[in-house]
Amino acid sequence: MSTLPPTPLKLWLACAAVAVLAACGDDLTDDTPATDAPTDNADASFDATATDADVPQDVAADVVADAAPKPCSADKVASCDDGLACTTDSCVLGTCEWVLKPGFAFINGTCHTSGAKDPDNTCAVAVPDIDPYHWTPLVDGSPCDDGSACTISDVCKAHQCLGEPVTCDDGLPCTADACLPETGCGYVALPGQPTCDDEDACSQGDHCIAGDCIGQPVTCDDANPCTNDTCNPGQGCVVTASTVECSDGNACTTGDVCAKGACVAGEPTSCDDGNTCSIDVCEPLLGCYHLATQNPCCVGQVSICDDGDSCTSDLCDPASGGCNYSFNTAVCSDGNACTQGDTCAEGACKGKAASCSDANPCTTDACDPSKGCVHSAVAGGPCDDGSPCTQDDACVAGVCKGKGQCSCTPSFSKEATKLWSVLIGNGGKPGEGLDLDNNTATCAPANNCSGGIDNALGALAGVANPQLDTAVAAGSLMLVLEYKDFKQGPIQVALYQAELSPDNASCDHQKQTCAYLVSSSLLDPVTCAPVVSLPGNLAGNSLKAGGPGTNFPFSLPIQGGVNLDITIYGARLQGTVTLTGGKVAAVDAILAGAVPKQDLLTAIDALPEEGLPLPKDSLKGLLDLLVVNDVDSNGDGTKDAASIALKLKGIPAVLAGTKP
């Protein structure tokens, strides 16, 4: 019999059971019966009371031998590879062993490097030195990321990542504000046109339009020429006294000025006509008039010594009725419109020949003694438009035009206004025009003017304004003002004819802020600078720009869709702008200048016969009857043009590009 190992019976039984179940090695048992197996004659029982002495020694030896580890086979070594990068895999005497590498953690069946974050909770990380098999919580206050774009300043609190909610209010009353965890804040324009408040006291009737709160400008005009009527976005209408020239309504005073909001009378008007045979009287409502005097030298208001020659001084002796004549050097008129600066010399009225050259190769220049300078358009003749980017230059309707253009790209300001109202001023009174000749003693038209306001073509307002109003409302006449280098102080104002951009063809150009394309004909083809550019100044809400040398081509609508193409010379812009947040929200101004009457007559001749309200000759006759030249447009001392004033009102606009 074999000697039993010095182990307790229960341990032997356990090892025997393990060996039988192959838990101590796959190949530790076989099917061969043990030669030393106990027999029925054995005196030992396998019960809890058995002792070592009761077990045959040969049986125990066989069990121990069969249970001993055997060397690892190649297949066994391969089967020990667990496929994990964070473990060192081995097989020792038939048993697989796996050891975690330094600096790694094995959590929830996955390898993690030191410092790796819990994918389900960024407030827990892998710390192998503390616990290689579980996530280690971060201390409170540690930065983290909760994965939501709707929170900021995320930190760990009680092992959870928590952040402060994002405020998505854009401050605009016309947008719906929301936050999505994936993308963050989003803003959507409110549908329809609900009412809103743009917090600007200078606008009214505010409505949401495409996400913006837009209102119509408040009219602050109190019809008092002696006040400056402006609008402050925080206060509304602000009225302050001015010190400009005015008219007190009394024809017997001149040089009236505003003081403390009222028009104060100036010096008495001199009615002296230089005629010793008249009594000079001034009546406040009539302008001056003259009465006959009782004088032996006079017959009525005519001196008996008047020889009818303005170049002689005619004197009469009241006692004897005798006459005395002498030459003078008074200003006179020789009756010839082709001379200028007429003065008396040696009893004769003489003047210097007037220059009628307009420096335009596309017009013929002549002088009619009864009318003055006459310029007729040349059609089709060769010319030079001065641009190196055009070719085949030719005269078209008195203008030199070439084919082609330069490839410059215009750059537009973000500040612009579209004119939703363009009307000829009704007469020559304050608010309807400007004092173009800086002379408060003259105004036009003579039967409807005061305060030195010049607007001779205001006589046509009743006929032309309905057509203008229709054209602007329909969009066939679109004018846009651009404010270059917009700021307080010196500023440039450009004036364009434009049309709606196709990108917003359905935009309401009379009420909404729309995008426009400006006519490329009003941009220099070489530099892309605006052709009509008015140098000026912005002081608070007051805008003044333009003057001599600034000319503006303008199409005046005539009945039947026919346009009268004219040029306004010496264009001057004056008015107020409404500023909201430093941007132009509205403009209310007057654009004034002069149009030579001969140009008007020539423009009428160029009109087609069809669609005219009257025959051309009748139109020219009416124009000649109603309008007089009241402005010297070229500085030669002769009034050769008729003043015109356009009343303008505008809303914000966007300049998006050009059109041919």
Side-chain angles (χ1 to χ4, degrees):
M1 297 293 290
S2 301
T3 303
L4 292 173
T7 57
L9 176 62
K10 290 183 179 180
L11 177 61
W12 180 88
L13 290 174
C15 289
V18 169
V20 172
L21 294 175
C24 292
D26 293 339
D27 300 321
L28 298 183
T29 61
D30 56 32
D31 295 332
T32 304
T35 56
D36 295 331
T39 65
D40 293 339
N41 296 324
D43 58 357
S45 300
F46 291 93
D47 58 21
T49 61
T51 66
D52 291 348
D54 296 328
V55 181
Q57 293 184 1
D58 55 347
V59 173
D62 284 344
V63 171
V64 171
D66 289 342
K70 295 182 179 180
C72 295
S73 65
D75 290 342
K76 184 63 178 179
V77 171
S79 69
C80 288
D81 184 2
D82 60 5
L84 299 175
C86 61
T87 61
T88 300
D89 310 329
S90 63
C91 181
V92 179
L93 299 177
T95 301
C96 291
E97 291 186 359
W98 300 277
V99 179
L100 194 62
K101 294 179 180 179
F104 283 91
F106 185 68
I107 305 173
N108 296 333
T110 304
C111 292
H112 298 279
T113 58
S114 179
K117 293 184 177 181
D118 183 349
D120 297 322
N121 182 1
T122 56
C123 284
V125 296
V127 185
D129 292 342
I130 296 178
D131 187 344
Y133 301 107
H134 299 89
W135 296 108
T136 301
L138 294 176
V139 297
D140 284 1
S142 299
C144 59
D145 183 1
D146 64 2
S148 173
C150 293
T151 60
I152 57 175
S153 304
D154 302 341
V155 294
C156 295
K157 295 180 181 178
H159 311 321
Q160 290 186 333
C161 189
L162 302 175
E164 298 295 329
V166 170
T167 300
C168 289
D169 184 7
D170 60 2
L172 300 178
C174 293
T175 60
D177 310 327
C179 189
L180 298 177
E182 298 82 6
T183 58
C185 292
Y187 311 99
V188 180
L190 295 178
Q193 294 187 355
T195 58
C196 57
D197 184 2
D198 62 4
E199 298 182 355
D200 183 354
C202 295
S203 68
Q204 57 187 353
D206 303 338
H207 284 78
C208 291
I209 301 175
D212 292 325
C213 188
I214 298 176
Q216 294 299 316
V218 170
T219 300
C220 293
D221 185 7
D222 62 1
N224 183 351
C226 287
T227 59
N228 293 321
D229 309 321
T230 60
C231 193
N232 184 301
Q235 299 176 258
C237 291
V238 178
V239 179
T240 58
S242 68
T243 56
V244 299
E245 297 177 344
C246 60
S247 174
D248 63 358
N250 184 347
C252 294
T253 61
T254 60
D256 306 335
V257 295
C258 293
K260 298 182 179 180
C263 191
V264 179
E267 297 296 324
T269 300
S270 174
C271 293
D272 185 6
D273 60 0
N275 185 354
T276 58
C277 290
S278 67
I279 298 176
D280 306 319
V281 181
C282 188
E283 205 284 326
L285 296 178
L286 300 178
C288 296
Y289 66 97
H290 310 280
L291 302 175
T293 183
Q294 301 297 320
N295 191 315
C297 287
C298 304
V299 177
Q301 294 189 36
V302 179
S303 171
I304 61 173
C305 295
D306 186 2
D307 61 2
D309 185 351
S310 60
C311 289
T312 61
S313 297
D314 310 327
L315 301 178
C316 179
D317 184 352
S320 64
C323 297
N324 183 35
Y325 304 94
S326 62
F327 294 144
N328 61 39
T329 57
V331 175
C332 59
S333 174
D334 62 2
N336 185 348
C338 293
T339 62
Q340 60 185 13
D342 302 342
T343 57
C344 293
E346 299 298 323
C349 186
K350 297 179 181 180
K352 297 179 181 179
S355 173
C356 288
S357 175
D358 61 0
N360 184 352
C362 291
T363 61
T364 57
D365 308 321
C367 191
D368 184 333
S370 63
K371 297 180 179 179
C373 292
V374 178
H375 307 284
S376 302
V378 174
C383 60
D384 183 1
D385 64 2
S387 170
C389 302
T390 59
Q391 56 188 356
D392 300 331
D393 300 347
C395 293
V396 179
V399 178
C400 188
K401 295 184 178 180
K403 298 179 181 177
Q405 64 178 15
C406 286
S407 58
C408 65
T409 301
S411 176
F412 296 108
S413 169
K414 293 183 179 180
E415 295 298 323
T417 51
K418 187 267 180 182
L419 302 179
W420 60 268
S421 178
V422 180
L423 298 172
I424 296 178
N426 186 8
K429 295 185 177 182
E432 301 295 325
L434 300 178
D435 183 2
L436 294 177
D437 58 6
N438 298 315
N439 186 349
T440 57
T442 64
C443 60
N447 65 338
N448 184 22
C449 71
S450 64
I453 303 301
D454 304 309
N455 186 18
L457 286 171
L460 303 179
V463 176
N465 279 347
Q467 306 299 325
L468 266 174
D469 195 43
T470 299
V472 172
S476 58
L477 176 62
M478 289 187 176
L479 298 179
V480 177
L481 294 175
E482 178 193 21
Y483 309 95
K484 295 281 190 181
D485 301 321
F486 183 75
K487 62 184 181 307
Q488 291 289 321
I491 190 174
Q492 290 282 333
V493 182
L495 184 57
Y496 305 105
Q497 297 198 61
E499 65 182 30
L500 277 172
S501 171
D503 295 338
N504 59 176
S506 61
C507 187
D508 187 347
H509 58 86
Q510 291 295 83
K511 296 180 180 179
Q512 296 177 266
T513 300
C514 305
Y516 298 88
L517 302 180
V518 305
S519 174
S520 58
S521 65
L522 291 176
L523 294 170
D524 185 279
V526 178
T527 65
C528 281
V531 173
V532 184
S533 183
L534 293 74
N537 188 76
L538 178 65
N541 293 82
S542 178
L543 175 65
K544 294 182 179 180
T550 304
N551 304 328
F552 173 51
F554 180 61
S555 294
L556 183 64
I558 304 295
Q559 183 176 333
V562 178
N563 292 330
L564 187 67
D565 294 325
I566 60 175
T567 297
I568 299 177
Y569 293 90
R572 185 189 304 177
L573 183 72
Q574 183 172 319
T576 60
V577 293
T578 299
L579 301 176
T580 301
K583 297 183 177 296
V584 179
V587 65
D588 189 343
I590 291 177
L591 177 70
V595 181
K597 191 158 71 170
Q598 184 57 47
D599 284 8
L600 288 170
L601 298 175
T602 302
I604 291 175
D605 283 333
L607 294 175
E609 293 288 352
E610 300 79 13
L612 296 180
L614 294 172
K616 291 183 181 180
D617 288 342
S618 298
L619 282 176
K620 291 194 291 184
L622 181 62
L623 181 68
D624 201 41
L625 176 65
L626 293 178
V627 179
V628 296
N629 287 333
D630 64 323
V631 176
D632 177 9
S633 66
N634 55 18
D636 64 359
T638 302
K639 295 181 178 179
D640 61 342
S643 55
I644 184 173
L646 300 175
K647 299 194 298 182
L648 313 176
K649 295 181 184 294
I651 56 176
V654 176
L655 299 182
T658 62
K659 68 182 184 68

